[in-house]
Amino acid sequence: MAEYNKLTEEIISKLQQAAPGHILTGDDINEDYSHDEMPIYGKSAPEVVFMAHSTEEVAAVVKICNEHKIPVTPRGAGSGLVGGAVPLLGGVLIDITKMNKILSYDLENFVVHVQPGVTLNDLAEDCAKQGLLYAPDPGEKFACLAGNVSTNAGGMRAVKYGATRDYVRAMTVVLPTGETTHFGATVSKTSSGYSLVDLMVGSEGTLGVITELTLKVMPAPKVLASLIIPFENLNDCISTVPKIKMGNIEPQALEFMEREIVLASERYIGKSVFPQELDGTTANAYLLVTLDASSEDELDNLIEKASEIALEEGAIDVLVADTPAKMKDTWAARSSFLEAIMAETKLLDECDVVVPVNKIPSYLEFVNKAGEECGLTIRSFGHAGDGNLHIYQCSNDLEEEEFKARVDKFFDLIYPEATKCGGLVSGEHGIGSGKISYLVDSVGEINIKLMKGIKKAFDPNSIMNPGKVCYLLDNNN
């Protein structure tokens, strides 16, 4: 492991001079900084919190940390689920949430320039006022955009519009050495050397601190509607997905969910949205489909096509939510899945594997059997259109040590199975500190060696977010 130093009064004084009034120490540091939204991966408090306000401040602070070999942890809203923003070695935590301005739009080139702490919700609302769409739509609307970029967040609209990576044109980055550079350009295509932008996307704060972003936007679709499609079983539900995708329909979102998670969500929001039984048939799985179009006639045609396909594939019925109120209720239920699970669960862990779409039913059957074998309650939902599954392990009865042991056994079963299916460890939540060993097993030693080489090139002293992605604290990296 790299050698690190503790913060001394002298180093803290240098930080305070570099960022006057923006350095927090001692009791001024909120306990929330010691964990993310999945505290099962442990808590670790920073020695200093730096409330970043400018690129120049970030560069000055990081330069001091690099010179003195002080660990640095970039952090946005702290909504991650794999321990990615937890300062495992203390050191300096850089909070970018105060850098939250939407700087400008370039409507001739369809891009927006933003600071890293702008939330997804704020950008989405601001774009909508101007008839624009920022297409990435991860479930946590109040995550910071730099956090979305750092994990390549996907979300519901990825099936049609792609993940965050597809919308990052350029960025300003403070490197771990304290140098400031610019990656990418406003242009929509490039063949100009290695794509350093793409290296930063998904790097989870291990290669530098993003201080400005240029993101692609597009004209917003004119009309939208959502379809709730109940099925008697999961196999029929998932087998419908490729048929819809092949039907020249191009759904904006294509989600699946099982009965138990729907019931939990409706208990949480206090409203029934998804039908539980129709014509005497119990719904045990659902597709939630959103369609967009440039006209009402086009939308009606898409609804008709999708409904015909679903009914031919065994859907019990097709319910259309075509008013703002109905769509709001429908997606409120879907967006509350994680909160609903948390509200009813004492101990919780999760994984967001991604597998080929046609493997979803057999893989989930394997997962549910593994959950039974390990004595865990399993709740599953996910992005049917791209095979990204959110699988939660829950318990209200076990002690934490026993729960963790059972989850480890569960992961040892399901991650290799995902790899065997042609899948990967994470579709959008990232690796953080919690999934490193599973990444190594999935992608192999050669690829991990390449990742470590990239890390070393960017961060020669290994100060930036140590213990994450490919950097094991107990190994000599």
Side-chain angles (χ1 to χ4, degrees):
M1 187 173 77
E3 295 293 328
Y4 299 103
N5 295 315
K6 288 290 185 181
L7 283 154
T8 63
E9 290 300 323
E10 180 185 356
I11 298 172
I12 292 173
S13 178
K14 288 182 179 180
L15 295 173
Q16 289 169 335
Q17 291 174 33
H22 299 156
I23 300 295
L24 306 180
T25 59
D27 293 340
D28 291 333
I29 297 177
N30 193 303
E31 187 273 339
D32 286 347
Y33 287 121
S34 69
H35 62 88
D36 65 6
E37 287 295 311
M38 195 59 67
I40 198 76
Y41 293 117
K43 296 184 178 183
S44 180
E47 298 165 75
V48 164
V49 170
F50 162 43
M51 305 296 296
H53 283 67
S54 70
T55 297
E56 292 73 23
E57 274 191 348
V58 173
V61 166
V62 171
K63 184 176 182 181
I64 293 167
C65 291
N66 188 58
E67 288 173 350
H68 295 277
K69 296 188 178 178
I70 303 295
V72 175
T73 305
R75 180 184 173 100
S79 59
L81 296 170
V82 290
V86 178
L88 297 177
L89 300 177
V92 174
L93 184 146
I94 299 180
D95 181 336
I96 52 88
T97 57
K98 299 297 183 184
M99 297 178 69
N100 57 7
K101 294 183 177 63
I102 298 172
L103 300 172
S104 64
Y105 287 89
D106 178 350
L107 297 184
E108 292 181 334
N109 291 300
F110 281 95
V111 295
V112 59
H113 305 285
V114 300
Q115 290 185 315
V118 174
T119 67
L120 177 66
N121 183 76
D122 286 351
L123 180 60
E125 289 186 351
D126 200 68
C127 282
K129 291 174 185 175
Q130 302 180 64
L132 297 171
L133 174 71
Y134 174 65
D137 188 36
E140 177 49 72
K141 308 307 179 197
F142 293 93
C144 294
L145 291 170
N148 286 171
V149 170
S150 294
T151 57
N152 188 31
M156 271 72 91
R157 290 197 287 248
V159 63
K160 179 171 183 176
Y161 293 115
T164 298
R165 180 184 303 280
D166 302 302
Y167 293 83
V168 181
R169 289 282 188 258
M171 61 177 69
T172 300
V173 177
V174 173
L175 297 173
T177 56
E179 300 167 285
T180 300
T181 189
H182 190 78
F183 297 152
T186 299
V187 297
S188 61
K189 61 193 292 189
T190 175
S191 182
S192 307
Y194 298 151
S195 177
L196 298 175
V197 165
D198 281 316
L199 280 177
M200 287 297 298
V201 178
S203 64
E204 300 184 49
T206 62
L207 302 182
V209 184
I210 297 169
T211 61
E212 190 172 318
L213 286 162
T214 300
L215 303 171
K216 172 186 169 184
V217 294
M218 61 181 64
K222 300 295 185 185
V223 287
L224 297 162
S226 289
L227 310 180
I228 298 174
I229 309 176
F231 290 83
E232 190 173 2
N233 61 73
L234 183 63
N235 278 330
D236 288 346
C237 178
I238 299 301
S239 69
T240 306
V241 171
K243 303 293 176 59
I244 288 176
K245 293 178 73 174
M246 288 293 291
N248 199 27
I249 294 170
E250 288 193 286
Q252 183 191 95
L254 185 49
E255 302 287 291
F256 86 91
M257 54 221 67
E258 296 185 270
R259 178 183 179 84
E260 291 305 315
I261 189 64
V262 167
L263 294 175
S265 176
E266 293 184 344
R267 287 192 296 270
Y268 180 76
I269 66 173
K271 183 178 289 188
S272 180
V273 178
F274 292 79
Q276 307 303 316
E277 187 175 303
L278 295 98
D279 299 327
T281 302
T282 299
N284 291 303
Y286 303 83
L287 286 181
L288 177 55
V289 183
T290 293
L291 305 170
D292 60 27
S294 58
S295 69
E296 291 287 355
D297 287 344
E298 181 186 357
L299 183 63
D300 288 344
N301 184 48
L302 292 175
I303 292 172
E304 185 177 347
K305 279 185 180 180
S307 299
E308 287 176 357
I309 291 170
L311 292 170
E312 286 173 3
E313 294 300 311
I316 303 171
D317 201 352
V318 176
L319 291 79
V320 181
D322 54 1
T323 67
K326 289 180 181 178
M327 289 188 66
K328 182 178 179 181
D329 286 347
T330 300
W331 283 99
R334 166 61 183 87
S335 297
S336 298
F337 284 173
L338 177 53
E339 289 83 355
I341 295 171
M342 286 181 166
E344 297 184 352
T345 305
K346 184 180 78 171
L347 291 170
L348 180 69
D349 203 342
E350 66 84 40
C351 64
D352 78 311
V353 297
V354 57
V355 299
V357 171
N358 67 329
K359 300 291 187 180
I360 293 176
S362 60
Y363 183 70
L364 284 179
E365 183 179 356
F366 180 93
V367 164
N368 290 332
K369 287 180 180 177
E372 290 178 14
E373 180 181 328
C374 297
L376 296 167
T377 298
I378 304 300
R379 297 285 180 261
S380 303
F381 59 93
H383 312 306
D386 55 31
N388 187 191
L389 313 178
H390 298 301
I391 300 166
Y392 288 83
Q393 304 84 53
C394 313
S395 176
N396 287 317
D397 305 316
L398 299 172
E399 293 301 318
E400 184 169 324
E401 187 176 342
E402 175 63 21
F403 175 73
K404 287 182 175 180
R406 294 191 187 192
V407 169
D408 286 345
K409 179 182 176 183
F410 177 74
F411 285 160
D412 286 343
L413 294 171
I414 71 163
Y415 279 126
E417 183 68 15
T419 301
K420 191 194 302 185
C421 290
L424 291 167
V425 171
S426 174
E428 59 184 354
H429 293 170
I431 301 302
S433 62
K435 314 293 183 182
I436 296 177
S437 62
Y438 304 111
L439 179 68
V440 174
D441 292 340
S442 177
V443 304
E445 289 292 342
I446 292 175
N447 289 359
I448 291 293
K449 184 178 179 181
L450 290 170
M451 291 182 196
K452 289 177 179 178
I454 292 167
K455 168 72 173 169
K456 195 69 176 175
F458 273 76
D459 186 9
N461 288 325
S462 297
I463 66 162
M464 194 62 65
N465 212 8
K468 314 296 170 58
V469 186
C470 64
Y471 184 109
L472 286 164
L473 290 181
D474 57 351
N475 281 354
N476 185 18
N477 282 267

